[in-house]
Amino acid sequence: MKRKPSAWIAVLLVVAMAFSGCTKKGADPTPTPVPTEEITPTPTEEPTPTPDPKSEWDDKFLKDRYDGVFKIGVALSSQTIRNVKAMEIVKNEFNSFTFGNEMKAENLLDQAATLAGYPDTNTEPVLKFIGIQNGLTFAMNNGYGVRGHTLCWYSQTPAWFFTEDYKAGSPLCSREVMLARLESYIRQVMEYCQTNYPGVIYAWDVVNEAVDPQTGDENYIRKGKNLWYETIGPDFIQYAFEYARKYSDGTADLYYNDYNCYEKTDWILKALAPIKEAGNIDGIGMQCHLSTGDNIQNHVYKVAKKFSDAGYKVEITELDITVTDSGYADKMQSMKYKLVFQYMEQAKLNGEIDIDSVTIWGLSDTDSWRSSQKPVLYKSAGSQFERKPAWYGAMQDPSIDAFEW
Ligand code: GLA
C-alpha cells in the first residue's frame, strides 16, 4: 500500500530524532558504547610546524620583568646604536646602557687639539665628545639611564696623556701636573654630560680596575703598567673620587668598578676605605665576566653581600657568562644566568643588597668581546637576532632548573 507523503515525513522525523539524541525531555539517554578504532593519521605532504613552545614569551621583556627591582642594561657600541634592528631589541629589552668604548679616555682625548694648544693645555687637555653624542641623545629621548664608564683607568688611556709635552715617548710629567690633568679631565667629562644630557648618567665608574694581586703593590694597588700610579702614586684613586664628587651635580652615584671581585674582596674594601670615610664613593661595580664553571653563590651573591654589608651600593656592570664547548653548554649557561638574576632579585627585594642595575656586556654573541665563547643573551646573524636559552634564564623561566654544586 502506498503511503501518503505526510506519513513519510512523520517516519523520517522519528528516525532523525533518534539519531540526534533529541529524545523526550527528562528521558535519560543510555550511551551506546561505540567500538574504538585506531585512527592512523594520513600523512600530509607539508608537516604541520610544531608551535614554538616559547611563543608565550614573545612579548615579554627583561626591563619589564625587573621593573621596580633594578634597571637592565646592555653595553653598546656606536655601531650598534646605528643598527636599526639591534636598537629595536635594545628598546624593548633594556632601560640602561653603557658605552663599550666610546666614553673611555682614548676616545675622548683630542691629542691634535691638545698639542696645538700646548703649553696652554698643559693642565687643560682638550676633549672631543662627538663619539658619545648619538648615544646620549638616544638615551635622553628614550628615557634611558646611562652608566658613565669610565673616568680613570690604567688601560685605554693613551701614554701621551702622561708625558710632559703630550707626545708619546717624552718624559712623564710630575705628580702635580698629572693631578691637575686628572681633575681637568674628570671635570670636563662630567660637566659635558651633566649640562647637555641632564640626569641621563645615573652612575659613574670613577675608577676602573685599580686592585690587582698580580701586579699590585703591598696593598695590591695596581702598579705595573699603570701610568696613573707611576705619575701620581697609589693615592690616584682617592684623588679621582675627590674630583668626581667635587664636580658631580648629585644626580649620579660614584662607583669603583672591578673584575673578579671574589678574589680580591678584602683588598678592594681596604683600598676604598679612606674614600668612603671622606664620603666620596657610593658603590662598587662588580663586572662579573663569568664562565659556566663559576659558582654564582660564591662568586657573585656572597661578594655583593659583603660589599653591601660594608655600606656600599652594588651594581652588576659587565655581566657575561662564557660557555665551554660541551653538549650542555646552553643549559648550563641559562642556569647560571637564572641564578645571577634570582640571587640579585631576592637580595634586592628582601633589602639585603641595594642594587640599582644589572648590565649585560653586549647585545649579541657576535658583538661580544668574548664572542667565540658565546657569553650573552642573544645570537645574531646580519640583522637577525634570536634569544638564546640564556635569555630565558635571565627571565627566570620556571622550566629552567637553577642549582649548583
Ligand atoms: C673591562 C672594562 C670594559 C671592557 C672589558 C672588555 O672589563 O671595564 O670596559 O673593556 O674589559 O670588553
PDB file of all heavy atoms in Angstrom, residues 47-58:
ATOM      1  N   PRO A  47      54.441  18.764   6.707  1.00  0.00           N
ATOM      2  CA  PRO A  47      54.135  18.510   8.110  1.00  0.00           C
ATOM      3  C   PRO A  47      53.777  19.813   8.821  1.00  0.00           C
ATOM      4  O   PRO A  47      54.384  20.852   8.559  1.00  0.00           O
ATOM      5  CB  PRO A  47      55.439  17.927   8.668  1.00  0.00           C
ATOM      6  CG  PRO A  47      56.500  18.301   7.687  1.00  0.00           C
ATOM      7  CD  PRO A  47      55.832  18.572   6.375  1.00  0.00           C
ATOM      8  N   THR A  48      52.754  19.727   9.674  1.00  0.00           N
ATOM      9  CA  THR A  48      52.341  20.940  10.379  1.00  0.00           C
ATOM     10  C   THR A  48      53.469  21.361  11.317  1.00  0.00           C
ATOM     11  O   THR A  48      53.963  20.541  12.079  1.00  0.00           O
ATOM     12  CB  THR A  48      51.103  20.649  11.254  1.00  0.00           C
ATOM     13  OG1 THR A  48      50.341  19.675  10.577  1.00  0.00           O
ATOM     14  CG2 THR A  48      50.324  21.897  11.573  1.00  0.00           C
ATOM     15  N   PRO A  49      53.925  22.628  11.241  1.00  0.00           N
ATOM     16  CA  PRO A  49      55.030  23.018  12.115  1.00  0.00           C
ATOM     17  C   PRO A  49      54.632  22.935  13.591  1.00  0.00           C
ATOM     18  O   PRO A  49      53.514  23.292  13.947  1.00  0.00           O
ATOM     19  CB  PRO A  49      55.331  24.469  11.715  1.00  0.00           C
ATOM     20  CG  PRO A  49      54.139  24.925  10.949  1.00  0.00           C
ATOM     21  CD  PRO A  49      53.414  23.713  10.445  1.00  0.00           C
ATOM     22  N   THR A  50      55.549  22.424  14.419  1.00  0.00           N
ATOM     23  CA  THR A  50      55.264  22.364  15.858  1.00  0.00           C
ATOM     24  C   THR A  50      55.248  23.786  16.374  1.00  0.00           C
ATOM     25  O   THR A  50      56.180  24.535  16.103  1.00  0.00           O
ATOM     26  CB  THR A  50      56.414  21.623  16.590  1.00  0.00           C
ATOM     27  OG1 THR A  50      57.056  20.774  15.660  1.00  0.00           O
ATOM     28  CG2 THR A  50      55.951  20.923  17.837  1.00  0.00           C
ATOM     29  N   PRO A  51      54.203  24.146  17.114  1.00  0.00           N
ATOM     30  CA  PRO A  51      54.200  25.524  17.599  1.00  0.00           C
ATOM     31  C   PRO A  51      55.377  25.760  18.542  1.00  0.00           C
ATOM     32  O   PRO A  51      55.738  24.867  19.310  1.00  0.00           O
ATOM     33  CB  PRO A  51      52.869  25.643  18.350  1.00  0.00           C
ATOM     34  CG  PRO A  51      52.345  24.267  18.493  1.00  0.00           C
ATOM     35  CD  PRO A  51      53.066  23.370  17.560  1.00  0.00           C
ATOM     36  N   ASP A  52      56.013  26.924  18.436  1.00  0.00           N
ATOM     37  CA  ASP A  52      57.160  27.243  19.277  1.00  0.00           C
ATOM     38  C   ASP A  52      56.714  27.249  20.735  1.00  0.00           C
ATOM     39  O   ASP A  52      55.873  28.046  21.131  1.00  0.00           O
ATOM     40  CB  ASP A  52      57.698  28.625  18.871  1.00  0.00           C
ATOM     41  CG  ASP A  52      58.862  29.060  19.738  1.00  0.00           C
ATOM     42  OD1 ASP A  52      59.219  28.296  20.643  1.00  0.00           O
ATOM     43  OD2 ASP A  52      59.394  30.145  19.477  1.00  0.00           O
ATOM     44  N   PRO A  53      57.300  26.364  21.562  1.00  0.00           N
ATOM     45  CA  PRO A  53      56.844  26.281  22.950  1.00  0.00           C
ATOM     46  C   PRO A  53      57.113  27.557  23.734  1.00  0.00           C
ATOM     47  O   PRO A  53      56.553  27.772  24.786  1.00  0.00           O
ATOM     48  CB  PRO A  53      57.656  25.112  23.519  1.00  0.00           C
ATOM     49  CG  PRO A  53      58.835  24.965  22.614  1.00  0.00           C
ATOM     50  CD  PRO A  53      58.379  25.445  21.270  1.00  0.00           C
ATOM     51  N   LYS A  54      57.982  28.400  23.205  1.00  0.00           N
ATOM     52  CA  LYS A  54      58.333  29.618  23.924  1.00  0.00           C
ATOM     53  C   LYS A  54      57.520  30.816  23.461  1.00  0.00           C
ATOM     54  O   LYS A  54      57.764  31.918  23.896  1.00  0.00           O
ATOM     55  CB  LYS A  54      59.820  29.935  23.725  1.00  0.00           C
ATOM     56  CG  LYS A  54      60.761  28.898  24.261  1.00  0.00           C
ATOM     57  CD  LYS A  54      60.746  28.865  25.769  1.00  0.00           C
ATOM     58  CE  LYS A  54      61.821  27.930  26.294  1.00  0.00           C
ATOM     59  NZ  LYS A  54      61.621  27.641  27.711  1.00  0.00           N
ATOM     60  N   SER A  55      56.585  30.613  22.549  1.00  0.00           N
ATOM     61  CA  SER A  55      55.933  31.770  21.956  1.00  0.00           C
ATOM     62  C   SER A  55      55.214  32.648  22.982  1.00  0.00           C
ATOM     63  O   SER A  55      55.061  33.834  22.769  1.00  0.00           O
ATOM     64  CB  SER A  55      54.969  31.327  20.861  1.00  0.00           C
ATOM     65  OG  SER A  55      54.018  30.471  21.437  1.00  0.00           O
ATOM     66  N   GLU A  56      54.826  32.046  24.102  1.00  0.00           N
ATOM     67  CA  GLU A  56      54.195  32.849  25.157  1.00  0.00           C
ATOM     68  C   GLU A  56      55.146  33.941  25.674  1.00  0.00           C
ATOM     69  O   GLU A  56      54.734  34.869  26.346  1.00  0.00           O
ATOM     70  CB  GLU A  56      53.795  31.951  26.337  1.00  0.00           C
ATOM     71  CG  GLU A  56      55.025  31.298  26.921  1.00  0.00           C
ATOM     72  CD  GLU A  56      54.804  30.439  28.161  1.00  0.00           C
ATOM     73  OE1 GLU A  56      54.482  31.018  29.209  1.00  0.00           O
ATOM     74  OE2 GLU A  56      54.988  29.223  28.048  1.00  0.00           O
ATOM     75  N   TRP A  57      56.438  33.802  25.354  1.00  0.00           N
ATOM     76  CA  TRP A  57      57.436  34.768  25.838  1.00  0.00           C
ATOM     77  C   TRP A  57      57.637  35.932  24.874  1.00  0.00           C
ATOM     78  O   TRP A  57      58.336  36.886  25.206  1.00  0.00           O
ATOM     79  CB  TRP A  57      58.785  34.059  26.006  1.00  0.00           C
ATOM     80  CG  TRP A  57      58.802  33.049  27.099  1.00  0.00           C
ATOM     81  CD1 TRP A  57      58.563  31.708  26.981  1.00  0.00           C
ATOM     82  CD2 TRP A  57      59.083  33.281  28.487  1.00  0.00           C
ATOM     83  NE1 TRP A  57      58.685  31.095  28.195  1.00  0.00           N
ATOM     84  CE2 TRP A  57      59.007  32.036  29.134  1.00  0.00           C
ATOM     85  CE3 TRP A  57      59.396  34.422  29.232  1.00  0.00           C
ATOM     86  CZ2 TRP A  57      59.231  31.903  30.500  1.00  0.00           C
ATOM     87  CZ3 TRP A  57      59.620  34.279  30.580  1.00  0.00           C
ATOM     88  CH2 TRP A  57      59.527  33.041  31.202  1.00  0.00           C
ATOM     89  N   ASP A  58      57.069  35.798  23.688  1.00  0.00           N
ATOM     90  CA  ASP A  58      57.404  36.762  22.650  1.00  0.00           C
ATOM     91  C   ASP A  58      57.241  38.214  23.056  1.00  0.00           C
ATOM     92  O   ASP A  58      58.018  39.064  22.679  1.00  0.00           O
ATOM     93  CB  ASP A  58      56.580  36.491  21.379  1.00  0.00           C
ATOM     94  CG  ASP A  58      57.136  35.290  20.637  1.00  0.00           C
ATOM     95  OD1 ASP A  58      58.177  34.764  21.081  1.00  0.00           O
ATOM     96  OD2 ASP A  58      56.521  34.868  19.643  1.00  0.00           O
TER      97      ASP A  58
END
